[in-house]
């Protein structure tokens, strides 16, 4: 057990709801593996201005940013990384002696998780959702030569993301039987405790399709179960979660992240929650 003192560096995750997050387990395992006097906590809040004020006041060195703050926190930061600015969403904040800079590691995390399973260039992809994660994934996939379609329940938000990505938009309830190589689910639908929900009808899934759900709790969502039953290749949210967290660790500490230790503790935590 690490002892905490006045020299302990403080990190955390902000958003709401936050009770399901495994970021504290993952990052605290990374700190322990590297022998750092640091702790990572969960702060449930939806107040972007308050987050920035608190980060400065309590000298919090780094924050992970999750739903619903990835876009709304941006105007309150001192600086935004070029990639995060282009995406329009931040999931990581670094506090450098009171100057707060936003980054986006979701894009890199998603790309790494997908490229473990498939070549991306010239694939077609249906993105479900229009939030911060959808924006990050859409922009990185577009850069890698993927043809995109956005589907979302809110037409206004979905059309906005589709315009930003210069791709078609389809209302979620009118998906029909779109034929694509990849389907990536970025919404909270199916997340614990609502594990019986799925954002799409089964008839959109076809043999050989690659289906990724960025939810990692549960590790196999209802959508992934449906996809597996339809002979699709499935990718759960664990890889993206660990890879984006590893890049956060690198940004905060300038150290090589202990990816294996981070993945192991997340897997163990998920097993305990089953």
């Amino acid at each position: 057990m690490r002892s905490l003192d006045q020299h302990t560096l403080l990190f955390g995750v902000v958003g709401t709801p936050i009770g399901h997050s495994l970021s504290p387990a993952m990052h605290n395992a990374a700190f322990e593996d590297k022998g750092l006097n640091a702790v990572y906590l969960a702060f449930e809040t939806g107040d972007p201005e308050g987050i920035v004020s608190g980060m400065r006041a309590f000298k919090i060195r780094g924050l992970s940013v999750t739903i619903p703050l990835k876009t709304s926190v941006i105007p309150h930061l001192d600086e935004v990384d070029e990639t995060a600015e282009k995406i329009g969403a931040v999931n990581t904040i670094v506090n450098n002696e009171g100057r707060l800079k936003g980054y986006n590691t979701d894009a890199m995390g998603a790309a790494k998780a997908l490229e473990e399973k498939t070549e991306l260039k010239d694939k077609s992809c249906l993105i479900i959702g229009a939030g911060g994660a959808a924006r990050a994934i859409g922009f990185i996939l577009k850069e890698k030569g993927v043809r995109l379609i956005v589907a979302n329940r809110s037409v206004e938000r979905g059309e906005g993301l589709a315009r930003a990505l210069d791709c078609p938009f389809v209302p979620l309830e009118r998906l029909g039987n779109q034929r694509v190589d990849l389907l990536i689910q970025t919404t909270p639908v199916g997340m614990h405790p609502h594990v019986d929900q799925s954002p799409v009808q089964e008839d959109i899934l076809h043999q050989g399709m690659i289906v990724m759900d960025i939810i990692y709790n549960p590790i196999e969502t209802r959508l992934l179960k449906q996809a597996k039953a339809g002979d699709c290749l499935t990718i759960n949210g664990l890889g993206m979660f660990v890879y984006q967290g590893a890049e956060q660790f690198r940004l905060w500490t300038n150290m090589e992240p202990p990816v294996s230790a981070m993945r192991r503790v997340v897997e163990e935590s998920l097993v305990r929650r089953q």
Side-chain angles (χ1 to χ4, degrees):
M1 177 70 179
R2 290 172 297 153
S3 60
L4 307 180
D5 55 34
Q6 71 271 28
H7 302 297
T8 301
L9 302 178
L10 181 58
F11 299 84
V13 57
V14 290
T16 181
I18 209 74
H20 68 282
S21 178
L22 292 180
S23 291
M26 177 174 68
H27 282 294
N28 283 317
F31 295 149
E32 188 166 1
D33 184 90
K34 292 292 187 177
L36 298 177
N37 183 7
V39 66
Y40 183 107
L41 303 172
F43 303 101
E44 181 152 342
T45 177
D47 177 7
E49 187 174 4
I51 287 163
V52 168
S53 299
M55 195 172 185
R56 288 197 175 97
F58 294 105
K59 297 182 178 179
I60 298 171
R61 295 290 294 272
L63 287 175
S64 306
V65 181
T66 187
I67 296 170
L69 299 164
K70 292 184 179 185
T71 300
S72 60
V73 76
I74 290 176
H76 305 284
L77 301 175
D78 298 308
E79 189 179 355
V80 177
D81 170 74
E82 183 180 349
T83 300
E85 186 172 20
K86 181 169 63 175
I87 291 169
V90 158
N91 78 320
T92 308
I93 305 173
V94 177
N95 183 351
N96 185 9
E97 297 182 350
R99 184 169 180 81
L100 307 186
K101 185 172 181 178
Y103 296 84
N104 191 300
T105 67
D106 281 334
M108 179 185 295
K112 281 191 172 184
L114 284 162
E115 287 173 335
E116 284 182 334
K117 302 287 188 178
T118 186
E119 170 68 35
L120 291 174
K121 186 174 172 58
D122 295 327
K123 290 281 198 305
S124 58
C125 176
L126 175 65
I127 297 178
I128 308 294
R135 294 184 71 87
I137 292 169
F139 275 94
I140 194 73
L141 293 186
K142 189 173 180 67
E143 285 184 354
K144 290 181 177 290
V146 177
R147 301 185 307 278
L148 302 172
I149 303 170
V150 171
N152 194 53
R153 195 170 302 281
S154 163
V155 171
E156 183 179 359
R157 291 191 69 190
E159 287 182 336
L161 178 56
R163 281 194 300 272
L165 295 172
D166 190 23
C167 73
F169 168 74
V170 181
L172 192 57
E173 67 273 14
R174 297 182 192 168
L175 271 181
N177 57 352
Q178 293 275 344
R179 299 286 290 187
V180 291
D181 303 311
L182 299 170
L183 184 151
I184 303 179
Q185 200 296 102
T186 71
T187 77
V189 176
M191 183 185 291
H192 181 82
H194 306 293
V195 296
D196 293 328
Q197 298 179 0
S198 175
V200 298
Q201 298 296 319
E202 291 183 51
D203 57 6
I204 197 172
L205 306 172
H206 60 82
Q207 185 176 14
M209 177 188 275
I210 300 166
V211 179
M212 178 178 179
D213 195 328
I214 71 168
I215 291 171
Y216 62 86
N217 185 16
I219 197 66
E220 187 174 63
T221 60
R222 182 180 176 191
L223 171 62
L224 293 184
K225 289 176 181 176
Q226 291 172 328
K228 190 176 288 185
D231 290 328
C232 302
L233 173 65
T234 61
I235 304 174
N236 62 43
L238 180 62
M240 176 179 167
F241 176 63
V242 172
Y243 286 133
Q244 65 80 29
E247 185 60 21
Q248 290 180 326
F249 181 90
R250 194 192 312 275
L251 289 168
W252 292 331
T253 67
N254 293 313
M255 299 174 70
E256 191 66 23
V259 177
S260 296
M262 296 169 79
R263 182 184 291 271
R264 182 173 62 251
V265 76
V266 173
E267 289 173 342
E268 290 171 353
S269 297
L270 287 169
V271 168
R272 286 196 296 271
R273 292 188 181 193
Q274 297 304 310

